[in-house]
Amino acid sequence: MRGELKVVSIKGKWSIILFALAIVIGAVAFFQNQQASGTEKKNVKQDTNYKNVEIVTLVNDGKFMRYAVNYPLFHQKKLDDKIQSYANSVLEHFKKTFSEAKDISENKRYELNIDYDMVHYAKQSVAIHFTTYTYTGQQKGTTHSVTINYDFQKNTFLDTEDLFQPKTNYLKKLSYITYTELQKDKTLSKDQSLLQKGTASTTQNFSQFALKENYVEFYFPASQVAAEDLGPQTLAIKKTLLKDILKPEYMNKTKNQNEIKEPNPKRKAVELPQKSKLDPNKKSIALTFDDGPNPETTSKILNALKQNKGHATFFVLGSRVQYYPGMLTDILKGGNEIGNHSYNHPLLTRLPLKQAVKQVEDTQQLIEKASGYTPTHFRPPYGGTNQDINQAVGMKVSLWDVDPEDWKIRNSQQIINHVLSHAADGRTVLMHDIYESSARAAVKIIHELTKQGYQLVTVSELEQLKKERNEPAPVQ
């Protein structure tokens, strides 16, 4: 009896020891797991810019996994539920991926970041643009964006079609404006097939947008309209360009006024693109003007072009753009084209390659800053260039067929006679818009060529016409 009791006592002690050991092992495992996955901290604070909005932040900084999630709350149940559902679903998927991972380390710490931008907040509607970055051990992380638009007055979420009046071909108009505007950027226009496909009139192409105070801004993910390495692209279309198809409530200035001043969009369409009225069967000539702008003389040429419904290309110098930036807007307003003619007119082939390229790049930046326009054509001073310069600049090189040497002659009638006697279909004429004699000659040349039945076109338009005619491109 005593022996049996002793045996029971020994068994009882081992049970207690094993139970205690299990607790210790469990505690250690729990502690290690906490170290690995961390502990979530939640914070809710008032948004300092918007009085009715709170900002929720979830943070976890584990040894092998971390995340930071930010989202707004509006105290509008339908909207808040949607936002929380989005944030929670992304977070739960991230946690699940981490829990199932087999190869984790401090060097490849899993990471999730959800942040947002309050793109627009007004009485009528709100637009929240979420950006999510995820890293789960692969070579590089991934970035994904989504935009939520909500109409407070209608208590409903907005898709693109909800912005426009019924039975309007809004997609066709959005496609036309977007393609025309984006192709002005030489980096985007390199892959024409991708740009055309990404801006085609489909619902999917224009599904990501933000309804703003004065614009409807569209978001295009990386690889939709341009190569993936160029990243996502945006275009804000001014509402006035859409006033014939946009619903009246979204044009209302009072209801759509943002609570704080909205920043100016980085890329925007503020004028409807002019549809080409060129006739491929009609003889065409490209007048080009170098070394400007000059307010006194360039303006005279612009007026003559406007009166005769003609276009021309102005190859400007960066040094002059600095002094007369407003002239670029005047040039573009008439449907004319701006080209790059270097900063201060050196013979580029006599410069080190780096300096030659800087001449063009500095001018490009000045033009873009002054007008928002990105030139696609470059004319080297004196026509002096080489393959290395052309390749480094990465622009179309535009030369000429007809040169009256107006910079040297300074006699208007002689300039007129030379140009008119050498004019022919498909030719490019070189002149300069900084001399009074050249400006007077240009006015008469413009009138006379128009009278003779010529279409006065830009270099780009001449390229397009020659393509339609299956002819060689203009002199390059």
Side-chain angles (χ1 to χ4, degrees), residues 162-174:
D162 300 319
L163 307 183
F164 299 96
Q165 298 174 36
K167 297 180 180 179
T168 57
N169 199 348
Y170 68 90
L171 285 172
K172 185 177 180 181
K173 190 164 189 175
L174 294 178

Side-chain angles (χ1 to χ4, degrees), residues 132-147:
T132 300
Y133 171 80
T134 310
Y135 177 77
T136 52
Q138 65 273 50
Q139 190 172 1
K140 61 179 182 178
T142 58
T143 301
H144 174 72
S145 296
V146 65
T147 307

Side-chain angles (χ1 to χ4, degrees), residues 32 75 93 111 165 174 192 270-271 316 321 366 408:
Q32 288 178 336
H75 303 289
H93 178 73
E111 185 174 342
Q165 298 174 36
L174 294 178
Q192 277 291 315
V270 296
E271 290 182 343
V316 299
V321 171
L366 287 166
K408 181 169 65 176

